[in-house]
Amino acid sequence: MIRIGIVIGSTRPGRVGESVARWVHDLAVKRGDAEYELVDLADYALPHLDEPLPAATGQYAREHTAAWSERISSFDGFVFVTPEYNSSTSGALKNAIDFLFAEWADKAAAFVSYGVDGGARAAEHLRQVLGRLKVADVPAQVTLSIYADFEDFSVPRPAPQHEERLTAMLDQLLSWATALRPLRV
Ligand SMILES: Cc1cc2nc3c(=O)[nH]c(=O)nc-3n(C[C@H](O)[C@H](O)[C@H](O)COP(=O)(O)O)c2cc1C
């Protein structure tokens, strides 16, 4: 079965990212078409990139990198749940991406962004970064407004059309994750 990691791109105390990722996960698991797992960056406590060699070498000196590598290797595709910080994604997520290389390649990705303006700029930056890593990013996207789609700016209450967009996005993600799998065997 295809395995999809739903990456919580925020590590901030009081983050809303975790509840957004849980909304995604709850809807995704009901589909029954893949294994969907939450991947919490906070669980890995990655420092600022501290590997002596570039990730493209595949030679890791740190235990935290090995643990992160093992987890990411296990997936066929990803939903990146990203906040928008100063018109980009979080530093924590960019750093976590930079730790690895081959683990991302020839896999599919989709984005659920959120922020004052829906976080679209964060997702655009992520698309650029992931393109470098040979990740296939699907066009369908979910953008949630902190004002319109959250209760008290913290509890997700997305308008109904967002569920429809999430469904379309996951359809595309599953198709591409499945299509890319043979490239990696
Ligand atoms: C450092 C920082 C920068 C932010 N910059 C933006 C921004 O450029 N655009 C935007 O729409 N929202 C911005 N916001 C609002 C965040 O998108 C919003 O607070 C969101 O809840 C952050 O995600 P998190 O709670 O999961 O950390 C910023 C928030 C922080 C903490």
Side-chain angles (χ1 to χ4, degrees):
M1 205 172 206
I2 291 288
R3 283 175 47 76
I4 301 294
I6 300 170
V7 181
I8 306 174
S10 165
T11 55
R12 194 177 63 82
R15 63 189 175 172
V16 304
E18 183 175 349
S19 56
V20 176
R22 289 193 186 284
W23 171 72
V24 174
H25 184 258
D26 288 350
L27 290 170
V29 293
K30 286 184 192 152
R31 296 164 58 95
D33 54 358
E35 290 176 20
Y36 296 93
E37 279 182 17
L38 288 170
V39 179
D40 191 347
L41 294 187
D43 289 341
Y44 292 86
L46 295 167
H48 285 158
L49 182 58
D50 62 349
E51 284 289 341
L53 295 175
T57 66
Q59 294 180 54
Y60 301 135
R62 313 291 184 212
E63 280 182 21
H64 50 249
T65 315
W68 181 233
S69 168
E70 187 179 350
R71 188 79 191 284
I72 294 305
S73 294
S74 75
F75 295 111
D76 301 292
F78 305 94
V79 177
F80 290 96
V81 177
T82 179
E84 180 168 302
Y85 291 164
N86 297 316
S87 300
S88 187
T89 190
S90 69
L93 178 54
K94 174 63 165 62
N95 184 58
I97 291 170
D98 292 343
F99 259 97
L100 306 179
F101 188 79
E103 295 86 343
W104 303 114
D106 297 324
K107 297 181 179 179
F111 307 92
V112 174
S113 62
Y114 57 95
V116 175
D117 295 324
R121 289 169 295 234
E124 282 304 307
H125 267 181
L126 272 175
R127 289 180 188 277
Q128 190 178 355
V129 169
L130 293 167
R132 173 73 184 166
L133 291 162
K134 290 207 294 172
V135 176
D137 54 315
V138 303
Q141 184 172 321
V142 177
T143 55
L144 302 178
S145 158
I146 288 291
Y147 288 108
D149 298 308
F150 290 80
E151 192 178 307
D152 298 329
F153 307 106
S154 57
V155 182
R157 297 271 186 264
Q161 72 266 21
H162 291 303
E163 282 197 24
E164 290 166 26
R165 288 203 186 122
L166 180 61
T167 298
M169 189 191 84
L170 292 173
D171 287 348
Q172 292 179 7
L173 181 66
L174 262 286
S175 296
W176 285 17
T178 305
L180 288 168
R181 205 176 196 180
L183 283 184
R184 305 196 309 276
V185 292

